[in-house]
Amino acid sequence: GSGSNPFVLTNLQVPRLGSVWECDLDCAGHAPDKAFVFATGAPATGTVFPYGEILVDTSSPRIFLKSAFHSGNTIRFAIPIPANLKLCGRSMVVQGLCQGAPGGRLSNAIDLTLGL
């Protein structure tokens, strides 16, 4: 990407099969609303919208989409990873979105590869 999105999505640990992967999305500066994290199987070329640059390929298979309400704070997402050896080595790209006034804003992206 172009680096225009704020670095507000933080990876908290290595994604391991049979565990729970956690990330934080900092929605400071936004009025209370919904926050999202979503993952697809490939990165995007960086199409820019008024709310930021999309860094996940929306035409590739969606791996997960999680949402939660925030109060203009940092919200933690916990995503369970199945203990399925067929998933070992699978890559994905994760991005976040904070909604709420003054408007929605996309985050940086995190590239993940599932491991043991």
Side-chain angles (χ1 to χ4, degrees), residues 10-14 20-24 76-79 81:
T10 307
N11 179 14
L12 298 177
Q13 62 205 41
V14 174
V20 175
W21 177 73
E22 293 181 324
C23 64
D24 281 349
R76 179 157 296 164
F77 288 91
I79 292 70
I81 302 171

Side-chain angles (χ1 to χ4, degrees), residues 12 15 17 19 23 30 37 41 48 54 57-58 60 67 85 88 95 105 116:
L12 298 177
L17 299 180
S19 70
C23 64
H30 292 271
V37 291
V48 177
I54 202 99
D57 183 352
T58 57
S60 74
S67 66
L85 287 176
C88 191
Q95 189 169 19
R105 188 71 180 151
L116 297 173

Side-chain angles (χ1 to χ4, degrees), residues 86-113:
K86 291 181 182 179
L87 296 174
C88 191
R90 182 168 185 179
S91 296
M92 66 184 80
V93 181
V94 182
Q95 189 169 19
L97 170 66
C98 294
Q99 292 184 325
R105 188 71 180 151
L106 286 163
S107 74
N108 57 296
I110 298 172
D111 296 327
L112 297 176
T113 301

